[in-house]
Amino acid sequence: MTVLPLPVIPLLIILLSISFALSPLAKAAQYSVLSYGAMPDGKTDSTKAFAAAWSQACASTQPATISVPKGSFALGQVRFQGPCKNNAILVRIDGTLVAPSDYGVLGRAQNWLIFEHVNGVTISGGTLDGQGAGLWSCKNSGKDCPSGATSLEFSNSNNIAITGLASLNSQMFHIVINACQDVKVQGVRVSAAGDSPNTDGIHVQSSTGVTILNSRIGTGDDCVSIGPGTSNLWIENVACGPGHGISIGSLGKDSQEAGVQNVTVKTTTFTGTENGVRIKTWGRPSNGFARNILFQHAVMTNVKNPIVIDQNYCPGEENCPGQFSGVKISDVTYQDIHGSSATEIAVKFDCSKKYPCAGIKLEDVKLTYKNQQAEAACSNAGGVASGLVQPTSCL
Ligand SMILES: *[C@@H]1O[C@H](CO)[C@@H](O)[C@H](O)[C@H]1NC(C)=O
């Protein structure tokens, strides 16, 4: 062992204590929502207490932790607004946040909990209960209903992490990442009824550098939906079902639209879903695109459309019949996708007549229908197949 000369030792101690003081663990300012009047009784409206804890944490010039202890907190809309005076806010949730069950309260508000213009926010743990069942039954009865609130949204924000969060029964989308950079969603669980309308699990749009890992999503719409302007998205180890699959789209709704590129979807399972991996575009003019997409290592169990590109989306048959999608789809690879289709057509590429899909690759794809050969259907799709591909490629 080295023996340090005596005068060096006090100096080391001073240096160590300075670095300890500067490390986030040592000095995070603590804000418990209980100190601002939140009540874990599931009844008392804690909206103001959460907003107050946020404004203190956001105004702190050092890293801050907001803690939400065990128990159930009734919350109306909370806007967690930045920019903040620090860039390390941890929201540690041990309890459950509960939205109003009356959809009259938030149904037209678009958002329940929204973070805007923040940098360096982590949400860890906790359960969000959107209590959406009332709105779903309104929508399912065909009545005129409000569109509903997204449970959790990050908008115009950077360096965000969401880990170990459960989101249940949102009125509308469960989690939205909009206009953000560098977002890590990890160990999240989304759960809503298979027939709940518009309850997408995680929706990403206009964002770059989003990663979604190790998550389980069962809902009534897309497990993950990927909107215009998404790039460098990585999805890995996600289980989907019930739900409508992992979807790029809908794209090309607008004539001027940002494209989607560099998306990786790997190691996923789809169980009893409407779709597996899907790209969906409106059948009308647009300058949008989807390129450099990789779907790798997927297991399908009883999935209606395991592999699908649909460029003729035209809900209500309004403003698109007879037109062709302007969205250019290219360089899409399907690698090691196997399992069972719930319909005879397991692979469907229904591409734009004006801009055919180009550079589609099928590699080691094996999908069966009732333990027999399934079928593939192509229109306006170009590409290559390699390895074992069943059903036989129609490219
Ligand atoms: C594609 O996205 C990944 C992250 O998902 C990133 O690491 C990689 O650098 C991106 N590639 C390009 C060419 O931008």
Side-chain angles (χ1 to χ4, degrees):
M1 106 179 225
T2 338
V3 180
L4 295 172
L6 272 182
V8 173
I9 293 171
L11 186 66
L12 269 181
I13 290 171
I14 290 167
L15 284 176
L16 278 174
S17 33
I18 288 172
S19 65
F20 185 63
L22 292 177
S23 90
L25 285 175
K27 266 283 188 163
Q30 303 287 327
Y31 304 94
S32 166
V33 293
L34 298 183
S35 327
Y36 298 88
M39 298 286 265
D41 61 7
K43 298 195 294 272
T44 311
D45 183 352
S46 296
T47 310
K48 286 202 172 112
F50 275 64
W54 171 258
S55 38
Q56 292 295 306
C58 185
S60 163
T61 51
Q62 44 182 305
T65 299
I66 296 174
S67 48
V68 180
K70 284 206 175 75
S72 171
F73 296 87
L75 280 187
Q77 187 186 55
V78 187
R79 304 189 84 96
F80 300 88
Q81 298 268 10
C84 296
K85 295 239 157 66
N86 72 84
N87 54 14
I89 298 180
L90 169 64
V91 185
R92 205 186 58 227
I93 310 176
D94 291 310
T96 300
L97 315 189
V98 184
S101 59
D102 172 4
Y103 61 79
V105 181
L106 284 178
R108 291 175 211 285
Q110 288 188 37
N111 295 97
W112 175 28
L113 310 170
I114 179 164
F115 290 79
E116 293 170 293
H117 303 284
V118 297
N119 182 13
V121 170
T122 296
I123 297 184
S124 174
T127 299
L128 309 181
D129 183 352
Q131 301 218 80
L135 182 60
W136 308 339
S137 51
C138 175
K139 287 182 174 178
N140 283 337
S141 72
K143 277 189 285 200
D144 194 15
C145 317
S147 54
T150 287
S151 284
L152 174 66
E153 175 165 340
F154 278 89
S155 194
N156 294 288
S157 295
N158 300 337
N159 304 313
I160 303 305
I162 302 172
T163 70
L165 177 80
S167 181
L168 317 178
N169 303 330
S170 182
Q171 286 185 354
M172 242 260 296
F173 292 2
H174 285 81
I175 297 173
V176 169
I177 310 295
N178 170 57
C180 291
Q181 255 180 53
D182 299 322
V183 179
K184 194 161 185 180
V185 179
Q186 201 169 178
V188 159
R189 186 166 66 88
V190 171
S191 172
D195 65 350
S196 56
N198 318 117
T199 52
D200 295 40
I202 302 173
H203 177 74
V204 181
Q205 63 179 24
S206 308
S207 293
T208 187
V210 177
T211 305
I212 300 170
L213 301 177
N214 310 338
S215 294
R216 209 148 40 92
I217 301 171
T219 191
D221 207 310
D222 294 337
C223 288
V224 181
S225 52
I226 300 157
T230 302
S231 61
N232 301 1
L233 170 64
W234 189 278
I235 298 173
E236 182 168 354
N237 194 20
V238 168
C240 170
H244 294 183
I246 294 183
S247 288
I248 297 178
S250 309
L251 305 181
K253 184 173 194 217
D254 299 321
S255 62
Q256 298 291 316
E257 197 181 88
V260 170
Q261 60 188 332
N262 188 17
V263 174
T264 300
V265 178
K266 72 183 280 185
T267 318
T268 48
T269 63
F270 297 87
T271 309
T273 51
E274 285 286 318
N275 308 288
V277 290
R278 170 167 69 159
I279 302 176
K280 176 177 159 192
T281 80
W282 287 68
R284 63 189 198 198
S286 173
N287 66 344
F289 60 83
R291 62 188 179 220
N292 298 335
I293 316 288
L294 172 63
F295 297 110
Q296 191 183 46
H297 311 315
V299 179
M300 309 277 172
T301 307
N302 207 29
V303 172
K304 283 193 184 138
N305 306 293
I307 293 179
V308 56
I309 297 180
D310 172 11
Q311 291 212 262
N312 288 300
Y313 180 59
C314 186
E317 295 293 312
E318 275 172 45
N319 303 323
C320 29
Q323 301 185 56
F324 304 118
S325 179
V327 176
K328 292 158 212 68
I329 297 177
S330 61
D331 298 314
V332 183
T333 300
Y334 301 86
Q335 208 173 55
D336 181 28
I337 313 256
H338 58 97
S340 59
S341 174
T343 68
E344 196 159 10
I345 301 194
V347 176
K348 183 174 172 183
F349 298 126
D350 183 9
C351 294
S352 168
K353 197 163 182 173
K354 192 151 181 200
Y355 301 100
C357 297
I360 295 184
K361 289 190 197 71
L362 289 166
E363 222 177 290
D364 298 315
V365 171
K366 186 171 185 224
L367 294 160
T368 57
Y369 169 59
K370 293 185 172 164
N371 292 319
Q372 293 174 20
Q373 282 278 96
E375 282 179 26
C378 288
S379 45
N380 312 307
V384 293
S386 64
L388 175 75
V389 173
Q390 280 178 1
T392 308
S393 166
C394 56
L395 291 167

